[in-house]
Amino acid sequence: MNESMRWLDKVRGNDSIREAARKIGTTHATLSRQAAAGSLSFEFVRDLARAYSRAVLPDLLAMGHLSREDVGAGDSETALHAASEEELVAEVARRLGVTEMGSLFDQPASVAFANVHQFPNRNVGDQDEDFEEVASETISPRPEGETDADYDGA
């Protein structure tokens, strides 16, 4: 099964290809032919995304009709500027391992995250503690008679 067929199956869910085609005003034969050939048109991808209440740009990106640069997402700075506050908070929460976000949108992010204590498998201790730990590590002295040349090319 090619990428177009996988995408179409995912989008239409339990709907038949005939029903999906009807929703976008084409015939099931045309939709099936394009999907089987691995080349759903820009218009079909756009129309199917809309018919199934999906975001159009990610689907156009996924099907190769647009590049990340086409939608201004070629670099992280552009993507960050385009993201809403809710999207940014959700991404920060995901990266911090926060699983329950019910209260995160009820207050400023600085307050919400200060009250959340769900950081599994993350070392979120005080930075000074990290420096103290490194500083307290013992460094073995160089064995007698060895020089930097003994380690070059290692």
Side-chain angles (χ1 to χ4, degrees):
M1 182 181 295
N2 67 43
E3 190 63 30
S4 293
M5 286 298 295
R6 277 192 291 280
W7 180 85
L8 180 58
D9 287 348
K10 181 176 145 188
V11 170
R12 66 186 174 89
N14 292 328
D15 283 353
S16 66
I17 290 180
R18 186 179 302 275
E19 177 61 18
R22 187 195 61 73
K23 286 183 177 186
I24 64 169
T26 191
T27 66
H28 74 281
T30 301
L31 181 57
S32 293
R33 187 171 45 254
Q34 281 193 19
S39 61
L40 286 171
S41 71
F42 179 98
E43 292 77 15
F44 278 9
V45 172
R46 178 199 60 210
D47 294 348
L48 284 162
R50 289 177 179 165
Y52 287 92
S53 301
R54 296 170 54 94
V56 174
L57 287 178
D59 284 338
L60 290 171
L61 284 165
M63 297 310 299
H65 290 294
L66 294 174
S67 69
R68 293 178 53 78
E69 290 76 22
D70 290 335
V71 296
D75 61 75
S76 59
E77 185 177 346
T78 302
L80 287 169
H81 286 290
S84 69
E85 282 93 12
E86 291 83 8
E87 291 168 326
L88 291 171
V89 169
E91 178 59 17
V92 169
R94 183 192 67 77
R95 289 183 185 202
L96 292 175
V98 175
T99 56
E100 178 57 48
M101 295 193 341
S103 65
L104 288 180
F105 294 112
D106 298 338
Q107 50 196 326
S110 59
V111 174
F113 283 116
N115 295 327
V116 172
H117 302 288
Q118 301 175 10
F119 301 107
N121 302 321
R122 297 279 201 258
N123 181 3
V124 293
D126 184 30
Q127 190 175 23
D128 291 337
E129 291 174 9
D130 293 339
F131 289 173
E132 290 171 15
E133 182 180 335
V134 170
S136 69
E137 292 178 0
T138 304
I139 299 174
S140 301
R142 178 180 295 168
E144 196 171 311
E146 289 187 6
T147 66
D148 286 342
D150 295 322
Y151 296 98
D152 288 346

